[in-house]
Amino acid sequence: MMKKDMIGDPMSRVDGRLKVTGGATYSGEYKVAGLTYGVLVPATITSGTVTAIDTKAALRAPGVLTVITSFNAIKLPGYHNDAERPVKGLKLFNDNKIYFNSQPIALVVADTFERATYAATLVKATYQTAPFETDFHKNLDKGVVPQGGRYKDYVRGEADAYKNAPVKVEQEYMLPSEMHNPMELHVTTAFWDGDKVTLYTKSQGVKSSQRSVAAVFGIPAENVQINSRFVGGAFGSSLRTWPHEIAAAQAAKMIGKPVKLTLTREQMFTLVGYRPLTIQKIGLGATADGKLVGITHESHSQSSVYEEFTENSVNVSRFLYASPNANTRYKIIPLNVGVPTPMRGPGEATGSFALESALDELSYQLKMDPIELRLKNYTDMDPERNLPWSSKYLKECYQLGAQKIGWENRKPQPATARDGDWLIGYGIGCGAFGAYRSAAQAKLTLTPDGKVNIKSATSDIGPGTATAMVLIAADILGLPAENITFELGNSAFPMAPTQGGSATVSSVGSAVHDVCIAFKNKMLLLAGKPQNSEEKLDYVAVLKEANLPLLEITQESKGGENAQKYSMYSFSSHFAQVYVHPLTGMIKVKKVVAVVDAGKIVNLKTASSQMIGGAVGGIGMAMTEEAVMDDRYGKLVNGNFADYHVPVNADIPQIEALFIDKPDPIINPIGTKGIGEISLIGVAAAIANAVYNATGKRIRELPITPDKLV
């Protein structure tokens, strides 16, 4: 009897050994013959134009091959306004305009990285400066509604109905800018062969990167090869093709040699996006028994002057709780800063902090347990779209999380629970994120040695994509996992969507599921058996009997129209226990319990790791992370690893990840929904609410630091 690995089993990562032994090759580690090295030169002003660049000293420096600027760069077809697909956003070396401090103005290419780095310090620019604005608070009145209808004001029932309720909360909540800071720097190696270009780069979507590069250079997509097998963390910072990636390919084309362009850690703070600074106003109104009468959620969020960035920070307030009246308003404030980008949980993480904090404040006004208040306003249908949920087990999340955190020990009166000198508090914060499924393809190959290889052009930014796909295939095919390999991160592979929005297992996993079913049916046909028979086959014997050297099948999978009849979300409920020292304001997060309704869990081990990682990000959001801008110069004060504080091991408590693990009957054949985003959404609110329960001090401006508590 063959060993059968089952969906839901806790399986170790199939690429784990490669990663811990250094065998995994990341984008900056590929060896290419004749490699040269590129280093970007940053602007020293925040707004204006470059009037001249002196590159003579840099060009005379040892090993320097060229210095590329807007004055000598080749023009790229996709950067023209009349291009078939004109590129949006920053177009490096296309003109001499400066939109933000540290924007690249030149690219030095040399025969070593060290020589390029030195030569970059020799490039001197002359500027015509212009007025700039980086002060978010000073420019709040300049907020604009983003282009496109999806961001217009939303009203259900009566706008601002909360104002007429007998019990109400009206508060403002602020989140600073947070930077991605993945362990792996962004590195791109590019080289040309005639009119074909190859890039080794850090990408969450090799197919989307392929399309973007093709559009910029005006060449067919098939002339662009993107390789991104391993990604050392991205979380949204590699969702798009950034200007430095295009610059690497542009430089390679100009000098006729491969160019490897590496961003410095400081450049990671300005050139690959971040979670934008956001101020939100929440108005909640309820009856005396806790029934919500109205919800108003307004958000002002930072964007750039050269490109709009938007996110769904207000959307969660439209559907998470039952309220006959709800309205949202969303505006962005264009500033002289680099453009933001989605960051794990995108706007939902931002919006849930405000909504879940306000709901906690309402619970104290009502003298009602925060869980009871949520149950009182539980929704069995999506009130925004007036559709049934495909599945929803948030009540079970409340119950299980409360039990595991020890909610019965929570004191309704703040600042009354102690352990020696420490105050103890408990908090809850909930989250929701759309459960998506996109079309995807997978190619399966069986060889005479009984090995199965599956390929799809998806990515893996950390969650263990290949492991999940191998487990799905092993479960369906009835083969041991060690007989199956899954390859990804290559734009030549069958089509797959970008890894983002917690949709990879739902989308690509469905393609793997469907190609395995198609393969089994093909084998049954070759063996003369009825289709969809459950009879076990010896695949190698069938292959041999059919006199085939191998068997290849490619299958596309996509959702059906039935899915449009349902509202599909993943849900989470995060619980936190904190200790706060009243004299020093020091906070210790003692325990976090994350309970998730995400359909069927494919791999318990990697899913748990993903939830723990999200909780760590939530702790950073709540307690340590804040990008500080010096508005006199438009320059980040703490744009480095030393001064920007991410959580370290000492900050991380016991984190328990729990799953309801009930299949969603609608979204896909596996019944799984995403967990990447909801692992973080709600964590910051849970911690903030626990701090209030411990101290009686409500912190509405993140991060929660000791100075705000003493």
Side-chain angles (χ1 to χ4, degrees):
M1 180 72 177
M2 287 185 295
K3 176 181 178 288
K4 186 179 182 186
D5 294 278
M6 301 288 291
I7 288 176
D9 283 352
M11 185 172 121
S12 295
R13 291 174 181 262
V14 296
D15 54 6
R17 182 175 294 274
L18 281 174
K19 288 188 172 182
V20 300
T21 59
T25 306
Y26 291 83
S27 64
E29 298 177 319
Y30 286 91
K31 308 299 182 187
V32 179
L35 188 63
T36 66
Y37 300 83
V39 170
L40 292 167
V41 179
T44 56
I45 66 167
T46 305
S47 180
T49 56
V50 179
T51 56
I53 297 183
D54 184 354
T55 62
K56 294 187 186 69
L59 287 167
R60 286 196 298 264
V64 172
L65 302 172
T66 190
V67 179
I68 298 171
T69 71
S70 62
F71 299 104
N72 67 350
I74 58 171
K75 296 304 178 185
L76 304 180
Y79 282 175
H80 297 163
N81 291 330
D82 59 354
E84 186 177 340
R85 286 179 56 204
V87 175
K88 296 180 181 178
L90 185 65
K91 305 174 184 67
L92 283 190
F93 316 134
N94 189 57
D95 58 41
N96 63 343
K97 295 177 182 176
I98 302 298
Y99 301 102
F100 63 93
N101 202 291
S102 298
Q103 174 185 321
I105 58 168
L107 173 61
V108 176
V109 183
D111 58 358
T112 71
F113 175 70
E114 291 77 12
R115 283 174 159 179
T117 299
Y118 169 67
T121 67
L122 304 177
V123 176
K124 305 300 178 187
T126 305
Y127 303 99
Q128 177 69 50
T129 60
F132 65 86
E133 294 291 348
T134 60
D135 190 326
F136 182 86
H137 304 275
K138 183 178 148 189
N139 288 279
L140 265 175
D141 60 340
K142 295 177 183 165
V144 295
V145 177
Q147 298 175 11
R150 57 183 292 218
Y151 294 103
K152 67 181 181 181
D153 293 356
Y154 167 84
V155 180
R156 180 172 73 246
E158 179 187 346
D160 300 326
Y162 76 92
K163 293 181 177 179
N164 303 318
V167 184
K168 57 180 175 283
V169 167
E170 246 183 333
Q171 291 295 348
E172 187 172 277
Y173 304 88
M174 197 194 101
L175 286 91
S177 295
E178 293 174 63
M179 319 314 276
H180 283 285
N181 275 317
M183 186 177 293
E184 179 198 18
L185 296 170
H186 283 241
V187 184
T188 299
T189 299
F191 58 92
W192 290 80
D193 180 6
D195 61 352
K196 296 182 178 180
V197 64
T198 297
L199 280 78
Y200 295 99
T201 194
K202 182 173 183 169
S203 174
Q204 290 180 235
V206 291
K207 285 292 190 182
S208 62
S209 293
Q210 181 186 50
R211 291 191 296 270
S212 296
V213 173
V216 172
F217 287 94
I219 57 179
E222 56 267 25
N223 284 17
V224 179
Q225 174 62 41
I226 306 292
N227 300 295
S228 186
R229 184 180 175 191
F230 292 102
V231 176
F235 318 110
S237 69
S238 297
L239 277 173
R240 63 185 294 176
T241 302
W242 290 106
H244 73 267
E245 296 175 272
I246 300 299
Q250 185 179 18
K253 191 173 183 68
M254 288 177 65
I255 68 171
K257 294 176 181 287
V259 173
K260 175 179 170 181
L261 194 163
T262 303
L263 297 188
T264 64
R265 180 58 65 180
E266 289 78 7
Q267 288 168 343
M268 295 281 289
F269 279 78
T270 55
L271 300 183
V272 294
Y274 53 91
R275 191 191 305 280
L277 193 161
T278 305
I279 288 180
Q280 302 172 83
K281 292 181 179 179
I282 294 275
L284 297 181
T287 59
D289 64 350
K291 281 279 193 181
L292 285 170
V293 172
I295 301 173
T296 294
H297 190 163
E298 300 180 15
S299 176
H300 282 73
S301 189
Q302 177 174 297
S303 188
S304 70
V305 294
Y306 60 89
E307 181 183 2
E308 284 192 352
F309 173 76
T310 58
E311 58 181 12
N312 298 327
S313 54
V314 296
N315 293 26
V316 69
S317 293
R318 301 175 185 174
F319 66 83
L320 192 53
Y321 299 107
S323 176
N325 306 293
N327 63 289
T328 62
R329 306 177 185 106
Y330 177 75
K331 291 184 177 180
I332 55 173
I333 299 173
L335 297 173
N336 290 103
V337 293
V339 71
T341 196
M343 185 168 176
R344 195 176 190 177
E348 288 82 354
T350 300
S352 74
F353 168 67
L355 176 63
E356 294 296 291
S357 295
L359 203 68
D360 197 66
E361 298 203 45
L362 182 63
S363 75
Y364 284 96
Q365 285 204 34
L366 292 165
K367 295 182 170 54
M368 181 180 289
D369 183 281
I371 297 177
E372 183 186 346
L373 179 58
R374 285 165 173 79
L375 289 170
K376 181 84 73 169
N377 294 284
Y378 197 81
T379 59
D380 290 314
M381 285 188 67
D382 180 349
E384 179 185 9
R385 301 175 63 202
N386 197 30
L387 290 174
W389 309 110
S390 58
S391 63
K392 183 183 180 185
Y393 298 103
L394 192 50
K395 283 182 182 177
E396 288 84 345
C397 293
Y398 298 156
Q399 183 180 2
L400 185 56
Q403 175 193 336
K404 293 293 184 179
I405 199 72
W407 192 257
E408 71 275 7
N409 299 318
R410 174 188 175 273
K411 303 295 185 187
Q413 185 66 31
T416 57
R418 283 184 176 265
D419 182 356
D421 291 337
W422 295 83
L423 295 165
I424 306 171
Y426 294 82
I428 178 176
C430 298
F433 194 82
Y436 303 109
R437 176 185 177 186
S438 300
Q441 297 173 342
K443 177 182 178 181
L444 184 153
T445 304
L446 172 72
T447 50
D449 57 0
K451 303 293 186 182
V452 169
N453 174 267
I454 303 174
K455 292 181 172 71
S456 185
T458 185
S459 292
D460 182 4
I461 61 172
T465 302
T467 309
M469 302 307 154
V470 166
L471 195 49
I472 291 167
D475 183 61
I476 297 168
L477 298 176
L479 291 175
E482 54 266 27
N483 283 18
I484 302 168
T485 56
F486 182 81
E487 295 184 60
L488 48 66
N490 186 323
S491 61
F493 291 170
M495 180 272 298
T498 295
Q499 181 158 89
S502 304
T504 299
V505 174
S506 177
S507 305
V508 182
S510 295
V512 170
H513 173 281
D514 289 359
V515 79
C516 288
I517 295 294
F519 167 79
K520 283 178 69 176
N521 284 332
K522 179 68 173 177
M523 297 302 285
L524 288 165
L525 183 66
L526 290 172
K529 308 290 183 182
Q531 293 286 281
N532 296 312
S533 166
E534 290 300 314
E535 184 175 345
K536 303 293 182 189
L537 293 177
D538 182 334
Y539 299 137
V540 173
V542 173
L543 197 66
K544 188 175 181 181
E545 185 69 25
N547 199 27
L548 292 172
L550 51 78
L551 183 64
E552 284 186 351
I553 291 183
T554 300
Q555 187 75 27
E556 181 173 7
S557 178
K558 55 186 176 181
E561 292 183 6
N562 191 44
Q564 304 303 315
K565 302 173 185 176
Y566 296 88
S567 194
M568 297 187 286
Y569 286 87
S570 293
F571 299 94
S572 60
S573 187
H574 298 275
F575 293 80
Q577 181 198 41
V578 303
Y579 276 42
V580 182
H581 195 280
L583 184 63
T584 64
M586 181 179 179
I587 309 163
K588 291 182 181 177
V589 181
K590 297 291 278 189
K591 186 175 183 180
V592 170
V593 175
V595 193
V596 175
D597 164 28
K600 179 64 185 171
I601 300 304
V602 171
N603 182 5
L604 182 62
K605 188 171 185 177
T606 51
S608 297
S609 294
Q610 200 170 7
M611 291 304 303
I612 291 167
V616 171
I619 290 169
M621 184 179 184
M623 296 176 58
T624 67
E625 298 191 50
E626 178 182 18
V628 179
M629 178 71 74
D630 186 334
D631 293 312
R632 295 172 301 172
Y633 309 108
K635 192 172 178 65
L636 285 172
V637 174
N638 62 338
N640 57 75
F641 246 178
D643 299 316
Y644 181 90
H645 297 155
V646 297
V648 297
N649 283 345
D651 300 314
I652 308 307
Q654 175 190 354
I655 299 172
E656 193 169 357
L658 303 166
F659 303 96
I660 303 303
D661 202 19
K662 293 184 178 179
D664 185 293
I666 304 299
I667 186 168
N668 56 52
I670 308 163
T672 188
K673 299 187 286 188
I675 62 174
E677 318 293 340
I678 56 168
S679 62
L680 189 146
I681 298 168
V683 176
I687 293 170
N689 294 339
V691 167
Y692 178 77
N693 184 243
T695 65
K697 295 181 180 179
R698 180 68 66 178
I699 307 303
R700 302 184 183 93
E701 180 177 338
L702 296 182
I704 307 168
T705 47
D707 58 297
K708 295 173 183 174
L709 292 172
V710 294

